[in-house]
Amino acid sequence: MPAEQLYVHGVTSHDFNPRDFKFPYLRVADELRKEINSEVRQPGERLPTQEELAERFGVSRATINQALSLLRKEELIDTRQGRGSFVASETRQVPVPSGSPEGTVWGVVSERVPPVLLKPYLVEAFEANAVKLDVFSMTTESLAARVVDQKDRILAGEVSPPRSITARLLLPNTESKALAIPRQVSGEDDPRVRERLGGILRSHVTMMRSALFELRRLKLVEEVDVQVRLVPFAPQLKLYILNNRVVLQGFYIPEEGTVALPDGEDVATYDAYGTGATLYPFRASADSTPEQAGVVRTARKFFDATWDNLATKIPF
């Protein structure tokens, strides 16, 4: 059997390069997971055949079968006998109870806690009168793209504009030598690797800020406030708290890969690719059990304590 090497189309801003990875089926699953979570592939969409995927990624059908099996276990795809594999349907949404006071938590937490997409939850959040986004992530890459989508919905008149939008973004300080990732595989701190992350971070924060302040400039949203604070460590968990009501979280899994630096040098690094992170939702209602409400409440305490005590405010 020829050596299997992954060839990836649509490389992300993290310059996904899997040639050094040891388990090709995991890399195939990761790339398909990114396409599903970033909505390149829509719920219900049929995936290419195993033969087509094998040709795309330069691997065997057995490797593709392993990757699809992993995605089925994660409930991201469904396989139908004789028809192929399909992106799983979107997670069932629970409507806001009528008369629910603003700022209270609501909904029902699923016992299975299935993985979800960010988009439907952000759509839901932007239909509130006061939108509040508390986010702890590596770069806000996924969030920025989805916020631009919501801006476009408002401009197109598909949804009534909220009265206010407030965003607090907790991000890693790329000047900190203490960052565990991204870092050279050798363990050596390379300022160029951190500077590259900083450039990605700034570009997506700028995109998100520009989208939100455009709504204020056009007098569609009365109040817009976007604050950024930096912490001297890389997050191990991607965390979204939407309108103090819904928590979405996913883990950043350190992976070995190769990045191309601006000077053209390829460097082997450990990094985490958040655009492919699987998100898990947590909701609670005013009359739910303490365990249901506890996840949302604890996430809010974690974010506020980190924001107040460990983060440094920066102008942006």
Side-chain angles (χ1 to χ4, degrees):
M1 181 183 298
E4 294 183 338
Q5 183 174 356
L6 208 59
Y7 296 91
V8 179
H9 304 286
V11 177
T12 71
S13 60
H14 279 66
D15 296 333
F16 178 77
N17 189 332
R19 62 172 176 260
D20 296 326
F21 290 133
K22 299 177 182 178
F23 302 104
Y25 83 94
L26 292 177
R27 303 308 135 220
V28 174
D30 284 347
E31 189 64 16
L32 292 175
R33 188 184 299 110
K34 290 175 186 177
E35 293 177 358
I36 293 170
N37 286 342
S38 62
E39 300 169 70
V40 172
R41 298 192 181 278
Q42 297 292 317
E45 178 181 338
R46 186 180 184 276
L47 295 180
T49 66
Q50 290 192 17
E51 291 83 356
E52 291 169 335
L53 290 172
E55 181 179 358
R56 169 187 168 183
F57 291 109
V59 298
S60 68
R61 283 190 60 184
T63 295
I64 296 299
N65 191 48
Q66 283 182 291
L68 296 180
S69 178
L70 179 59
L71 295 178
R72 279 194 297 272
K73 290 180 181 178
E74 296 176 353
E75 299 182 359
L76 290 176
I77 66 170
D78 299 315
T79 298
R80 305 168 192 172
Q81 187 67 32
R83 296 184 60 193
S85 295
F86 297 78
V87 178
S89 299
E90 295 183 35
T91 302
R92 178 177 62 89
Q93 297 297 297
V94 181
V96 182
S98 59
S100 179
E102 187 173 305
T104 60
V105 294
W106 53 273
V108 179
V109 66
S110 167
E111 190 172 8
R112 292 191 307 158
V113 194
V116 298
L117 304 175
L118 173 60
K119 181 178 179 179
Y121 288 86
L122 209 59
V123 167
E124 187 179 82
F126 268 75
E127 291 174 352
N129 187 45
V131 178
K132 184 175 182 181
L133 313 175
D134 287 340
V135 179
F136 186 23
S137 73
M138 287 287 287
T139 65
T140 72
E141 182 174 353
S142 300
L143 177 67
R146 301 285 77 81
V147 166
V148 170
D149 291 343
Q150 299 317 304
K151 179 207 73 171
D152 291 342
R153 289 180 69 225
I154 293 172
L155 293 181
E158 297 176 8
V159 61
S160 299
R163 178 183 57 80
S164 66
I165 303 175
T166 302
R168 296 191 297 175
L169 309 178
L170 267 178
L171 301 167
N173 185 348
T174 57
E175 295 183 1
S176 172
K177 297 181 180 180
L179 290 185
I181 53 174
R183 179 174 290 269
Q184 284 199 31
V185 171
S186 65
E188 177 185 356
D189 173 62
D190 189 334
R192 299 173 300 169
V193 174
R194 290 188 282 107
E195 289 169 4
R196 177 178 174 278
L197 174 64
I200 296 172
L201 182 156
R202 288 189 294 273
S203 67
H204 289 101
V205 171
T206 298
M207 180 170 71
M208 177 176 165
R209 283 175 50 88
S210 297
L212 294 179
F213 281 103
E214 181 179 356
L215 294 174
R216 190 178 73 175
R217 180 180 63 81
L218 295 174
K219 301 186 184 305
L220 293 172
V221 177
E222 182 180 338
E223 301 175 15
V224 173
D225 182 29
V226 180
Q227 298 182 45
V228 180
R229 293 192 182 184
L230 304 181
V231 290
F233 51 86
Q236 294 178 299
L237 186 75
K238 171 181 284 195
L239 177 66
Y240 300 100
I241 305 174
L242 309 180
N243 294 349
N244 285 327
R245 295 171 170 169
V246 177
V247 166
L248 305 176
Q249 66 178 34
F251 292 97
Y252 284 111
I253 300 176
E255 299 177 344
E256 183 176 340
T258 304
V259 298
L261 297 176
D263 60 10
E265 181 181 354
D266 288 343
V267 177
T269 63
Y270 288 119
D271 204 346
Y273 303 94
T275 52
T278 300
L279 297 175
Y280 295 91
F282 296 91
R283 300 173 179 263
S285 62
D287 59 352
S288 66
T289 65
E291 290 78 10
Q292 290 173 323
V295 174
V296 175
R297 187 180 302 113
T298 301
R300 286 158 55 177
K301 287 182 179 179
F302 165 80
F303 187 93
D304 289 340
T306 305
W307 180 269
D308 293 336
N309 302 321
L310 302 180
T312 302
K313 185 177 180 179
I314 63 166
F316 208 101

